[in-house]
Amino acid sequence: MTGMIAEGVAYHPGLLPATEQKALVADLHRVIAAAPFFTPQMPRTGAPFSVEMTNCGPLGWVSDRKGYRYQPTHPETGRRWPPIPERLLKIWRAVGAPGVPEACLINRYGEGAKMGLHQDRDEETFEAPVVSVSLGDTAVFRMGGTTRRGPTRSLRLASGDVIVFGGPARLMYHGIDRVLAGSSRLLPEGGRLNLTMRRVTPFPADEAG
Ligand code: SIN
Ligand code: FE2
Protein backbone atom coordinates (compact mmCIF):
# COMPACT_ATOMS: atom_id res chain seq x y z
CA MET A 1 0.00 0.00 0.00
CA THR A 2 1.68 3.09 -1.24
CA GLY A 3 1.05 6.17 0.80
CA MET A 4 1.99 9.81 0.82
CA ILE A 5 3.37 9.87 4.35
CA ALA A 6 4.20 13.58 4.19
CA GLU A 7 3.87 16.25 1.54
CA GLY A 8 6.18 15.13 -1.28
CA VAL A 9 7.10 11.82 0.38
CA ALA A 10 5.73 8.58 -1.09
CA TYR A 11 6.41 5.36 0.77
CA HIS A 12 6.05 2.08 -1.14
CA PRO A 13 6.48 -0.70 1.43
CA GLY A 14 7.32 -4.05 -0.14
CA LEU A 15 7.34 -2.68 -3.69
CA LEU A 16 9.95 -5.27 -4.67
CA PRO A 17 8.93 -8.91 -4.32
CA ALA A 18 11.56 -11.33 -2.99
CA THR A 19 12.43 -12.59 -6.49
CA GLU A 20 13.07 -9.02 -7.68
CA GLN A 21 15.20 -8.29 -4.61
CA LYS A 22 17.36 -11.35 -5.36
CA ALA A 23 17.72 -10.41 -9.00
CA LEU A 24 18.66 -6.87 -8.01
CA VAL A 25 21.34 -8.17 -5.63
CA ALA A 26 22.78 -10.19 -8.55
CA ASP A 27 22.79 -7.05 -10.73
CA LEU A 28 24.54 -5.17 -7.92
CA HIS A 29 27.24 -7.83 -7.63
CA ARG A 30 28.12 -7.09 -11.26
CA VAL A 31 28.19 -3.36 -10.53
CA ILE A 32 30.40 -3.86 -7.48
CA ALA A 33 32.80 -6.10 -9.44
CA ALA A 34 33.34 -3.20 -11.85
CA ALA A 35 33.24 -0.44 -9.20
CA PRO A 36 34.36 -1.76 -5.79
CA PHE A 37 33.16 -0.19 -2.55
CA PHE A 38 35.32 2.62 -1.18
CA THR A 39 35.23 4.37 2.19
CA PRO A 40 34.29 8.02 1.75
CA GLN A 41 35.83 10.67 3.98
CA MET A 42 34.36 13.79 5.55
CA PRO A 43 35.28 17.05 3.87
CA ARG A 44 38.27 18.82 5.49
CA THR A 45 38.81 16.40 8.40
CA GLY A 46 39.13 13.26 6.29
CA ALA A 47 37.29 11.26 8.97
CA PRO A 48 35.93 8.04 7.44
CA PHE A 49 32.21 7.47 6.95
CA SER A 50 30.83 4.37 8.68
CA VAL A 51 29.19 3.29 5.40
CA GLU A 52 31.02 2.12 2.33
CA MET A 53 29.92 3.48 -1.04
CA THR A 54 30.04 2.98 -4.75
CA ASN A 55 27.92 4.22 -7.65
CA CYS A 56 26.52 3.38 -11.03
CA GLY A 57 25.34 5.72 -13.74
CA PRO A 58 27.01 8.48 -15.76
CA LEU A 59 27.74 10.35 -12.50
CA GLY A 60 28.57 9.17 -9.01
CA TRP A 61 28.55 10.94 -5.66
CA VAL A 62 31.85 11.01 -3.79
CA SER A 63 33.18 12.67 -0.64
CA ASP A 64 36.75 13.28 0.44
CA ARG A 65 38.85 16.04 2.05
CA LYS A 66 38.13 18.24 -0.96
CA GLY A 67 34.38 18.03 -0.42
CA TYR A 68 31.19 16.46 -1.71
CA ARG A 69 30.70 16.22 -5.48
CA TYR A 70 29.52 14.21 -8.44
CA GLN A 71 32.09 12.84 -10.84
CA PRO A 72 32.04 10.43 -13.81
CA THR A 73 34.80 8.19 -12.46
CA HIS A 74 35.53 5.98 -9.43
CA PRO A 75 37.89 7.78 -6.99
CA GLU A 76 40.20 4.76 -6.62
CA THR A 77 40.13 2.92 -9.95
CA GLY A 78 39.76 6.08 -12.08
CA ARG A 79 37.34 4.17 -14.30
CA ARG A 80 33.88 5.28 -15.37
CA TRP A 81 31.01 4.05 -13.19
CA PRO A 82 29.11 1.08 -14.67
CA PRO A 83 25.63 1.77 -16.07
CA ILE A 84 22.54 1.74 -13.85
CA PRO A 85 20.96 -1.74 -14.20
CA GLU A 86 17.69 -1.77 -16.15
CA ARG A 87 15.93 -3.27 -13.11
CA LEU A 88 16.66 -0.05 -11.19
CA LEU A 89 15.58 2.19 -14.06
CA LYS A 90 12.32 0.25 -14.04
CA ILE A 91 11.80 1.17 -10.37
CA TRP A 92 12.48 4.84 -11.19
CA ARG A 93 9.74 4.72 -13.83
CA ALA A 94 7.38 2.64 -11.67
CA VAL A 95 7.25 5.31 -8.97
CA GLY A 96 6.53 7.95 -11.59
CA ALA A 97 9.89 9.73 -11.61
CA PRO A 98 10.51 11.66 -14.83
CA GLY A 99 13.09 10.92 -17.53
CA VAL A 100 16.14 8.97 -16.47
CA PRO A 101 18.32 9.19 -13.34
CA GLU A 102 21.99 10.09 -13.82
CA ALA A 103 23.39 8.77 -10.56
CA CYS A 104 22.73 5.82 -8.32
CA LEU A 105 24.63 5.90 -5.04
CA ILE A 106 25.04 2.51 -3.38
CA ASN A 107 25.56 2.63 0.39
CA ARG A 108 26.61 -0.47 2.31
CA TYR A 109 25.83 -0.56 6.02
CA GLY A 110 27.86 -3.12 7.91
CA GLU A 111 27.74 -3.62 11.66
CA GLY A 112 27.21 -0.34 13.50
CA ALA A 113 27.05 1.82 10.38
CA LYS A 114 24.72 4.80 10.33
CA MET A 115 24.24 8.08 8.52
CA GLY A 116 23.72 11.46 10.12
CA LEU A 117 20.85 13.76 9.25
CA HIS A 118 21.58 15.53 5.95
CA GLN A 119 20.01 16.91 2.79
CA ASP A 120 20.71 15.61 -0.72
CA ARG A 121 21.63 18.94 -2.24
CA ASP A 122 24.77 18.48 -4.31
CA GLU A 123 22.73 18.18 -7.50
CA GLU A 124 22.41 21.02 -10.00
CA THR A 125 18.68 20.44 -10.24
CA PHE A 126 16.00 19.41 -7.76
CA GLU A 127 13.28 18.89 -10.38
CA ALA A 128 13.36 15.10 -10.07
CA PRO A 129 12.73 13.24 -6.80
CA VAL A 130 15.23 11.08 -4.94
CA VAL A 131 14.22 7.41 -5.29
CA SER A 132 15.61 5.26 -2.47
CA VAL A 133 15.55 1.45 -2.47
CA SER A 134 16.33 -0.63 0.64
CA LEU A 135 17.77 -4.18 0.56
CA GLY A 136 18.80 -6.45 3.41
CA ASP A 137 18.50 -5.59 7.08
CA THR A 138 15.81 -3.14 8.20
CA ALA A 139 16.96 0.42 8.85
CA VAL A 140 15.59 3.03 11.21
CA PHE A 141 15.21 5.95 8.80
CA ARG A 142 14.84 9.43 10.28
CA MET A 143 13.11 12.15 8.35
CA GLY A 144 12.58 15.79 9.17
CA GLY A 145 11.61 18.92 7.33
CA THR A 146 13.65 21.11 5.04
CA THR A 147 15.44 22.90 7.88
CA ARG A 148 17.87 21.24 10.27
CA ARG A 149 15.85 22.23 13.31
CA GLY A 150 12.32 21.08 13.84
CA PRO A 151 10.54 17.83 14.45
CA THR A 152 11.62 14.53 12.92
CA ARG A 153 9.93 11.17 12.73
CA SER A 154 11.34 7.72 12.19
CA LEU A 155 10.26 4.99 9.84
CA ARG A 156 11.52 1.43 9.50
CA LEU A 157 12.69 0.70 5.96
CA ALA A 158 12.67 -3.04 5.25
CA SER A 159 14.13 -4.98 2.35
CA GLY A 160 12.17 -4.25 -0.81
CA ASP A 161 10.77 -0.93 0.43
CA VAL A 162 11.08 2.14 -1.76
CA ILE A 163 10.75 5.71 -0.54
CA VAL A 164 10.54 8.68 -2.88
CA PHE A 165 11.01 12.29 -1.83
CA GLY A 166 10.51 15.13 -4.23
CA GLY A 167 8.69 18.39 -4.80
CA PRO A 168 8.29 20.17 -1.45
CA ALA A 169 10.24 17.33 0.26
CA ARG A 170 13.14 17.15 -2.22
CA LEU A 171 15.42 18.85 0.30
CA MET A 172 14.08 17.13 3.42
CA TYR A 173 16.61 16.18 6.08
CA HIS A 174 17.04 12.43 6.43
CA GLY A 175 19.44 9.89 7.86
CA ILE A 176 19.82 6.39 9.22
CA ASP A 177 19.84 6.03 13.02
CA ARG A 178 20.72 2.35 12.98
CA VAL A 179 20.33 -0.93 11.15
CA LEU A 180 18.67 -3.92 12.82
CA ALA A 181 21.25 -6.68 12.43
CA GLY A 182 19.88 -10.05 11.39
CA SER A 183 16.43 -8.75 10.40
CA SER A 184 16.74 -9.98 6.79
CA ARG A 185 18.28 -13.01 5.14
CA LEU A 186 18.58 -11.47 1.68
CA LEU A 187 22.30 -10.67 1.90
CA PRO A 188 24.45 -13.68 2.91
CA GLU A 189 27.02 -11.34 4.47
CA GLY A 190 24.28 -9.48 6.40
CA GLY A 191 23.92 -5.73 6.67
CA ARG A 192 22.02 -3.40 4.41
CA LEU A 193 22.34 -1.93 0.94
CA ASN A 194 20.63 1.32 0.05
CA LEU A 195 20.38 2.60 -3.49
CA THR A 196 19.53 6.23 -4.11
CA MET A 197 18.82 7.31 -7.65
CA ARG A 198 19.00 10.98 -8.52
CA ARG A 199 18.92 13.38 -11.40
CA VAL A 200 22.03 15.59 -11.20
CA THR A 201 21.79 17.97 -14.18
CA PRO A 202 18.65 19.68 -15.50
CA PHE A 203 16.57 17.80 -18.06
CA PRO A 204 17.18 18.81 -21.65
CA ALA A 205 14.22 20.81 -23.00
CA ASP A 206 12.90 17.79 -24.95
CA GLU A 207 13.00 15.30 -22.06
CA ALA A 208 10.32 14.57 -19.49
CA GLY A 209 10.19 17.23 -16.82
C1 SIN B 1 21.35 8.37 2.00
O1 SIN B 1 20.67 9.31 2.40
O2 SIN B 1 22.29 8.51 1.20
C2 SIN B 1 21.06 6.97 2.46
C3 SIN B 1 19.72 6.78 3.06
C4 SIN B 1 19.50 5.34 3.36
O3 SIN B 1 20.46 4.61 3.57
O4 SIN B 1 18.33 4.92 3.40
FE1 FE2 C 1 20.71 11.19 1.48
Side-chain angles (χ1 to χ4, degrees), residues 48-91:
F49 282 42
S50 63
V51 297
E52 296 179 290
M53 293 181 174
T54 188
N55 290 269
C56 49
L59 292 170
W61 188 87
V62 300
S63 180
D64 59 21
R65 285 178 186 275
K66 287 182 277 179
Y68 303 140
R69 65 192 173 277
Y70 282 94
Q71 62 180 46
T73 55
H74 189 289
E76 289 173 0
T77 68
R79 296 174 57 183
R80 289 193 174 274
W81 306 106
I84 300 177
E86 178 55 34
R87 207 175 296 280
L88 275 173
L89 299 176
K90 208 174 108 189
I91 297 169

Tab-separated table of all heavy atoms in Angstrom, residues 48-91:
chain	number	residue	atom	x	y	z
A	48	PRO	N	36.653	8.991	8.293
A	48	PRO	CA	35.929	8.043	7.440
A	48	PRO	C	34.441	7.974	7.770
A	48	PRO	O	34.048	8.088	8.923
A	48	PRO	CB	36.607	6.698	7.763
A	48	PRO	CG	37.182	6.879	9.130
A	48	PRO	CD	37.538	8.343	9.259
A	49	PHE	N	33.629	7.765	6.757
A	49	PHE	CA	32.209	7.468	6.953
A	49	PHE	C	32.110	6.056	7.540
A	49	PHE	O	33.016	5.239	7.338
A	49	PHE	CB	31.473	7.442	5.607
A	49	PHE	CG	31.128	8.793	5.008
A	49	PHE	CD1	32.017	9.848	5.028
A	49	PHE	CD2	29.909	8.969	4.373
A	49	PHE	CE1	31.694	11.078	4.437
A	49	PHE	CE2	29.575	10.188	3.785
A	49	PHE	CZ	30.459	11.237	3.820
A	50	SER	N	30.999	5.751	8.209
A	50	SER	CA	30.826	4.366	8.682
A	50	SER	C	30.238	3.488	7.590
A	50	SER	O	30.285	2.265	7.687
A	50	SER	CB	29.977	4.318	9.956
A	50	SER	OG	28.666	4.785	9.726
A	51	VAL	N	29.678	4.090	6.538
A	51	VAL	CA	29.188	3.293	5.403
A	51	VAL	C	30.263	3.245	4.331
A	51	VAL	O	31.110	4.124	4.249
A	51	VAL	CB	27.889	3.879	4.776
A	51	VAL	CG1	26.750	3.857	5.765
A	51	VAL	CG2	28.111	5.273	4.237
A	52	GLU	N	30.203	2.182	3.532
A	52	GLU	CA	31.020	2.119	2.326
A	52	GLU	C	30.117	2.500	1.163
A	52	GLU	O	28.904	2.300	1.246
A	52	GLU	CB	31.526	0.707	2.094
A	52	GLU	CG	32.446	0.203	3.170
A	52	GLU	CD	32.859	-1.221	2.841
A	52	GLU	OE1	31.988	-2.112	2.922
A	52	GLU	OE2	34.026	-1.424	2.486
A	53	MET	N	30.713	3.014	0.099
A	53	MET	CA	29.916	3.478	-1.040
A	53	MET	C	30.511	3.050	-2.362
A	53	MET	O	31.707	2.838	-2.492
A	53	MET	CB	29.888	5.010	-1.071
A	53	MET	CG	29.146	5.637	0.063
A	53	MET	SD	29.151	7.443	-0.097
A	53	MET	CE	28.059	7.830	1.279
A	54	THR	N	29.620	2.963	-3.354
A	54	THR	CA	30.041	2.975	-4.746
A	54	THR	C	28.864	3.556	-5.528
A	54	THR	O	27.871	3.975	-4.931
A	54	THR	CB	30.507	1.586	-5.235
A	54	THR	OG1	31.084	1.735	-6.541
A	54	THR	CG2	29.368	0.579	-5.296
A	55	ASN	N	28.975	3.602	-6.837
A	55	ASN	CA	27.922	4.220	-7.648
A	55	ASN	C	27.783	3.487	-8.957
A	55	ASN	O	28.707	2.798	-9.407
A	55	ASN	CB	28.303	5.667	-8.020
A	55	ASN	CG	28.296	6.642	-6.852
A	55	ASN	OD1	27.291	7.275	-6.563
A	55	ASN	ND2	29.430	6.778	-6.168
A	56	CYS	N	26.648	3.707	-9.614
A	56	CYS	CA	26.519	3.380	-11.026
A	56	CYS	C	25.788	4.530	-11.683
A	56	CYS	O	25.150	5.348	-11.010
A	56	CYS	CB	25.846	2.025	-11.238
A	56	CYS	SG	24.320	1.758	-10.333
A	57	GLY	N	25.935	4.606	-13.001
A	57	GLY	CA	25.343	5.716	-13.741
A	57	GLY	C	26.418	6.628	-14.299
A	57	GLY	O	27.590	6.498	-13.947
A	58	PRO	N	26.028	7.565	-15.161
A	58	PRO	CA	27.015	8.478	-15.757
A	58	PRO	C	27.758	9.315	-14.712
A	58	PRO	O	28.892	9.712	-14.920
A	58	PRO	CB	26.173	9.390	-16.663
A	58	PRO	CG	24.855	8.736	-16.825
A	58	PRO	CD	24.664	7.775	-15.690
A	59	LEU	N	27.111	9.572	-13.571
A	59	LEU	CA	27.743	10.348	-12.502
A	59	LEU	C	27.629	9.599	-11.185
A	59	LEU	O	26.660	8.878	-10.961
A	59	LEU	CB	27.064	11.719	-12.366
A	59	LEU	CG	27.269	12.673	-13.548
A	59	LEU	CD1	26.359	13.898	-13.419
A	59	LEU	CD2	28.740	13.118	-13.624
A	60	GLY	N	28.611	9.794	-10.323
A	60	GLY	CA	28.567	9.167	-9.006
A	60	GLY	C	28.911	10.189	-7.942
A	60	GLY	O	29.692	11.117	-8.182
A	61	TRP	N	28.311	10.005	-6.763
A	61	TRP	CA	28.546	10.937	-5.661
A	61	TRP	C	29.752	10.458	-4.866
A	61	TRP	O	29.832	9.272	-4.497
A	61	TRP	CB	27.303	10.999	-4.770
A	61	TRP	CG	27.351	12.063	-3.712
A	61	TRP	CD1	26.972	13.373	-3.843
A	61	TRP	CD2	27.778	11.918	-2.352
A	61	TRP	NE1	27.143	14.043	-2.661
A	61	TRP	CE2	27.640	13.182	-1.730
A	61	TRP	CE3	28.282	10.851	-1.597
A	61	TRP	CZ2	27.965	13.397	-0.387
A	61	TRP	CZ3	28.612	11.071	-0.262
A	61	TRP	CH2	28.452	12.336	0.337
A	62	VAL	N	30.687	11.364	-4.588
A	62	VAL	CA	31.852	11.010	-3.788
A	62	VAL	C	32.088	12.091	-2.730
A	62	VAL	O	31.610	13.218	-2.863
A	62	VAL	CB	33.139	10.833	-4.659
A	62	VAL	CG1	32.945	9.730	-5.694
A	62	VAL	CG2	33.548	12.129	-5.323
A	63	SER	N	32.815	11.719	-1.689
A	63	SER	CA	33.179	12.672	-0.639
A	63	SER	C	34.585	12.368	-0.174
A	63	SER	O	34.926	11.217	0.109
A	63	SER	CB	32.202	12.560	0.531
A	63	SER	OG	32.567	13.477	1.546
A	64	ASP	N	35.405	13.420	-0.110
A	64	ASP	CA	36.753	13.283	0.442
A	64	ASP	C	37.153	14.637	1.035
A	64	ASP	O	36.306	15.526	1.156
A	64	ASP	CB	37.744	12.780	-0.633
A	64	ASP	CG	37.832	13.703	-1.843
A	64	ASP	OD1	37.463	14.895	-1.726
A	64	ASP	OD2	38.286	13.235	-2.904
A	65	ARG	N	38.404	14.788	1.413
A	65	ARG	CA	38.848	16.036	2.050
A	65	ARG	C	38.488	17.277	1.239
A	65	ARG	O	38.287	18.362	1.787
A	65	ARG	CB	40.364	16.008	2.262
A	65	ARG	CG	40.779	15.098	3.409
A	65	ARG	CD	42.301	15.096	3.530
A	65	ARG	NE	42.738	14.125	4.519
A	65	ARG	CZ	42.814	14.393	5.829
A	65	ARG	NH1	42.497	15.579	6.283
A	65	ARG	NH2	43.205	13.445	6.662
A	66	LYS	N	38.424	17.092	-0.086
A	66	LYS	CA	38.130	18.240	-0.958
A	66	LYS	C	36.652	18.607	-0.982
A	66	LYS	O	36.284	19.672	-1.453
A	66	LYS	CB	38.628	17.954	-2.388
A	66	LYS	CG	40.148	18.006	-2.495
A	66	LYS	CD	40.625	17.759	-3.919
A	66	LYS	CE	40.687	16.274	-4.210
A	66	LYS	NZ	41.113	15.950	-5.577
A	67	GLY	N	35.805	17.708	-0.491
A	67	GLY	CA	34.381	18.032	-0.415
A	67	GLY	C	33.497	16.992	-1.054
A	67	GLY	O	33.954	15.927	-1.471
A	68	TYR	N	32.208	17.314	-1.090
A	68	TYR	CA	31.189	16.460	-1.714
A	68	TYR	C	31.077	16.854	-3.177
A	68	TYR	O	31.077	18.031	-3.505
A	68	TYR	CB	29.804	16.728	-1.120
A	68	TYR	CG	29.642	16.566	0.368
A	68	TYR	CD1	28.855	17.477	1.082
A	68	TYR	CD2	30.199	15.500	1.052
A	68	TYR	CE1	28.637	17.325	2.445
A	68	TYR	CE2	29.992	15.342	2.417
A	68	TYR	CZ	29.213	16.262	3.104
A	68	TYR	OH	28.999	16.111	4.454
A	69	ARG	N	30.916	15.892	-4.068
A	69	ARG	CA	30.700	16.221	-5.483
A	69	ARG	C	30.241	15.004	-6.268
A	69	ARG	O	30.318	13.880	-5.793
A	69	ARG	CB	31.978	16.782	-6.115
A	69	ARG	CG	33.095	15.747	-6.170
A	69	ARG	CD	34.438	16.367	-6.528
A	69	ARG	NE	35.483	15.358	-6.407
A	69	ARG	CZ	36.097	15.012	-5.270
A	69	ARG	NH1	35.790	15.625	-4.139
A	69	ARG	NH2	37.017	14.074	-5.263
A	70	TYR	N	29.785	15.276	-7.472
A	70	TYR	CA	29.515	14.213	-8.438
A	70	TYR	C	30.664	14.172	-9.424
A	70	TYR	O	31.189	15.216	-9.825
A	70	TYR	CB	28.208	14.496	-9.198
A	70	TYR	CG	26.996	14.152	-8.371
A	70	TYR	CD1	26.362	15.115	-7.599
A	70	TYR	CD2	26.512	12.851	-8.349
A	70	TYR	CE1	25.258	14.789	-6.822
A	70	TYR	CE2	25.407	12.518	-7.575
A	70	TYR	CZ	24.791	13.487	-6.815
A	70	TYR	OH	23.697	13.150	-6.041
A	71	GLN	N	31.056	12.973	-9.810
A	71	GLN	CA	32.090	12.837	-10.844
A	71	GLN	C	31.833	11.581	-11.676
A	71	GLN	O	31.195	10.632	-11.196
A	71	GLN	CB	33.491	12.851	-10.217
A	71	GLN	CG	33.763	11.723	-9.251
A	71	GLN	CD	35.177	11.796	-8.652
A	71	GLN	OE1	35.625	12.857	-8.220
A	71	GLN	NE2	35.876	10.662	-8.640
A	72	PRO	N	32.329	11.557	-12.920
A	72	PRO	CA	32.045	10.428	-13.811
A	72	PRO	C	32.883	9.188	-13.537
A	72	PRO	O	32.624	8.129	-14.114
A	72	PRO	CB	32.332	10.980	-15.209
A	72	PRO	CG	33.238	12.150	-15.004
A	72	PRO	CD	32.980	12.683	-13.619
A	73	THR	N	33.884	9.310	-12.676
A	73	THR	CA	34.798	8.185	-12.461
A	73	THR	C	34.921	7.792	-10.986
A	73	THR	O	34.718	8.602	-10.082
A	73	THR	CB	36.211	8.534	-12.983
A	73	THR	OG1	36.630	9.748	-12.352
A	73	THR	CG2	36.214	8.702	-14.499
A	74	HIS	N	35.301	6.535	-10.779
A	74	HIS	CA	35.531	5.982	-9.433
A	74	HIS	C	36.788	6.625	-8.839
A	74	HIS	O	37.802	6.739	-9.524
A	74	HIS	CB	35.718	4.463	-9.590
A	74	HIS	CG	35.748	3.703	-8.307
A	74	HIS	ND1	36.807	3.762	-7.417
A	74	HIS	CD2	34.853	2.841	-7.764
A	74	HIS	CE1	36.547	2.976	-6.388
A	74	HIS	NE2	35.372	2.406	-6.577
A	75	PRO	N	36.740	7.053	-7.575
A	75	PRO	CA	37.887	7.778	-6.993
A	75	PRO	C	39.151	6.928	-6.854
A	75	PRO	O	40.249	7.472	-6.771
A	75	PRO	CB	37.377	8.221	-5.624
A	75	PRO	CG	36.250	7.310	-5.310
A	75	PRO	CD	35.636	6.918	-6.619
A	76	GLU	N	39.004	5.603	-6.808
A	76	GLU	CA	40.200	4.763	-6.624
A	76	GLU	C	40.651	4.093	-7.913
A	76	GLU	O	41.845	4.013	-8.176
A	76	GLU	CB	39.934	3.730	-5.516
A	76	GLU	CG	39.874	4.422	-4.152
A	76	GLU	CD	39.439	3.510	-3.015
A	76	GLU	OE1	39.173	2.306	-3.249
A	76	GLU	OE2	39.364	4.019	-1.876
A	77	THR	N	39.705	3.603	-8.722
A	77	THR	CA	40.126	2.925	-9.952
A	77	THR	C	40.307	3.917	-11.104
A	77	THR	O	40.976	3.600	-12.086
A	77	THR	CB	39.080	1.881	-10.413
A	77	THR	OG1	37.900	2.570	-10.836
A	77	THR	CG2	38.732	0.903	-9.297
A	78	GLY	N	39.686	5.091	-10.999
A	78	GLY	CA	39.757	6.078	-12.075
A	78	GLY	C	38.896	5.714	-13.278
A	78	GLY	O	38.890	6.427	-14.284
A	79	ARG	N	38.163	4.591	-13.169
A	79	ARG	CA	37.335	4.171	-14.304
A	79	ARG	C	35.924	4.749	-14.212
A	79	ARG	O	35.464	5.102	-13.126
A	79	ARG	CB	37.260	2.637	-14.336
A	79	ARG	CG	38.626	2.018	-14.583
A	79	ARG	CD	38.598	0.517	-14.477
A	79	ARG	NE	37.640	-0.065	-15.404
A	79	ARG	CZ	37.373	-1.362	-15.485
A	79	ARG	NH1	37.987	-2.217	-14.668
A	79	ARG	NH2	36.511	-1.816	-16.352
A	80	ARG	N	35.265	4.816	-15.356
A	80	ARG	CA	33.877	5.282	-15.370
A	80	ARG	C	33.012	4.343	-14.553
A	80	ARG	O	33.267	3.147	-14.489
A	80	ARG	CB	33.353	5.369	-16.812
A	80	ARG	CG	34.002	6.504	-17.559
A	80	ARG	CD	33.322	6.843	-18.874
A	80	ARG	NE	33.949	8.045	-19.417
A	80	ARG	CZ	33.585	9.293	-19.091
A	80	ARG	NH1	32.560	9.504	-18.292
A	80	ARG	NH2	34.244	10.331	-19.585
A	81	TRP	N	31.962	4.878	-13.930
A	81	TRP	CA	31.006	4.049	-13.187
A	81	TRP	C	30.271	3.151	-14.180
A	81	TRP	O	29.966	3.589	-15.287
A	81	TRP	CB	29.979	4.913	-12.463
A	81	TRP	CG	30.534	5.965	-11.569
A	81	TRP	CD1	30.555	7.309	-11.816
A	81	TRP	CD2	31.148	5.788	-10.285
A	81	TRP	NE1	31.138	7.974	-10.759
A	81	TRP	CE2	31.513	7.073	-9.805
A	81	TRP	CE3	31.416	4.681	-9.483
A	81	TRP	CZ2	32.129	7.270	-8.573
A	81	TRP	CZ3	32.033	4.884	-8.248
A	81	TRP	CH2	32.381	6.150	-7.809
A	82	PRO	N	29.925	1.938	-13.787
A	82	PRO	CA	29.112	1.082	-14.671
A	82	PRO	C	27.692	1.656	-14.818
A	82	PRO	O	27.264	2.460	-13.999
A	82	PRO	CB	29.089	-0.267	-13.942
A	82	PRO	CG	29.511	0.007	-12.541
A	82	PRO	CD	30.300	1.279	-12.528
A	83	PRO	N	26.982	1.247	-15.867
A	83	PRO	CA	25.628	1.767	-16.069
A	83	PRO	C	24.663	1.335	-14.967
A	83	PRO	O	24.886	0.333	-14.285
A	83	PRO	CB	25.199	1.191	-17.417
A	83	PRO	CG	26.220	0.198	-17.820
A	83	PRO	CD	27.424	0.340	-16.942
A	84	ILE	N	23.598	2.095	-14.817
A	84	ILE	CA	22.543	1.735	-13.853
A	84	ILE	C	21.784	0.539	-14.430
A	84	ILE	O	21.312	0.593	-15.560
A	84	ILE	CB	21.573	2.924	-13.635
A	84	ILE	CG1	22.344	4.142	-13.090
A	84	ILE	CG2	20.421	2.520	-12.696
A	84	ILE	CD1	21.488	5.399	-12.895
A	85	PRO	N	21.680	-0.567	-13.686
A	85	PRO	CA	20.960	-1.736	-14.196
A	85	PRO	C	19.515	-1.397	-14.580
A	85	PRO	O	18.848	-0.616	-13.891
A	85	PRO	CB	20.995	-2.723	-13.016
A	85	PRO	CG	22.152	-2.292	-12.181
A	85	PRO	CD	22.250	-0.799	-12.350
A	86	GLU	N	19.058	-2.015	-15.651
A	86	GLU	CA	17.689	-1.775	-16.148
A	86	GLU	C	16.636	-1.988	-15.056
A	86	GLU	O	15.646	-1.274	-14.975
A	86	GLU	CB	17.431	-2.696	-17.357
A	86	GLU	CG	16.038	-2.602	-17.950
A	86	GLU	CD	15.610	-1.188	-18.365
A	86	GLU	OE1	16.487	-0.396	-18.807
A	86	GLU	OE2	14.412	-0.863	-18.231
A	87	ARG	N	16.867	-2.974	-14.192
A	87	ARG	CA	15.931	-3.271	-13.110
A	87	ARG	C	15.723	-2.060	-12.181
A	87	ARG	O	14.640	-1.860	-11.636
A	87	ARG	CB	16.496	-4.443	-12.295
A	87	ARG	CG	15.513	-5.301	-11.585
A	87	ARG	CD	16.223	-6.476	-10.925
A	87	ARG	NE	16.828	-7.355	-11.904
A	87	ARG	CZ	16.141	-8.276	-12.589
A	87	ARG	NH1	14.872	-8.447	-12.369
A	87	ARG	NH2	16.758	-9.024	-13.460
A	88	LEU	N	16.775	-1.259	-12.019
A	88	LEU	CA	16.660	-0.055	-11.187
A	88	LEU	C	15.948	1.061	-11.951
A	88	LEU	O	15.140	1.805	-11.384
A	88	LEU	CB	18.046	0.421	-10.751
A	88	LEU	CG	18.616	-0.235	-9.508
A	88	LEU	CD1	20.055	0.198	-9.285
A	88	LEU	CD2	17.766	0.136	-8.288
A	89	LEU	N	16.252	1.177	-13.242
A	89	LEU	CA	15.579	2.194	-14.061
A	89	LEU	C	14.074	1.926	-14.086
A	89	LEU	O	13.259	2.849	-14.079
A	89	LEU	CB	16.140	2.184	-15.490
A	89	LEU	CG	17.634	2.508	-15.595
A	89	LEU	CD1	18.103	2.380	-17.050
A	89	LEU	CD2	17.935	3.911	-15.062
A	90	LYS	N	13.728	0.637	-14.045
A	90	LYS	CA	12.317	0.245	-14.038
A	90	LYS	C	11.634	0.737	-12.749
A	90	LYS	O	10.485	1.171	-12.776
A	90	LYS	CB	12.242	-1.292	-14.127
A	90	LYS	CG	10.998	-1.818	-14.781
A	90	LYS	CD	11.072	-3.333	-14.950
A	90	LYS	CE	10.133	-4.019	-13.980
A	90	LYS	NZ	10.303	-5.480	-13.948
A	91	ILE	N	12.359	0.689	-11.646
A	91	ILE	CA	11.800	1.166	-10.370
A	91	ILE	C	11.591	2.691	-10.441
A	91	ILE	O	10.563	3.212	-10.019
A	91	ILE	CB	12.715	0.781	-9.181
A	91	ILE	CG1	12.801	-0.742	-9.059
A	91	ILE	CG2	12.222	1.408	-7.886
A	91	ILE	CD1	13.884	-1.234	-8.104
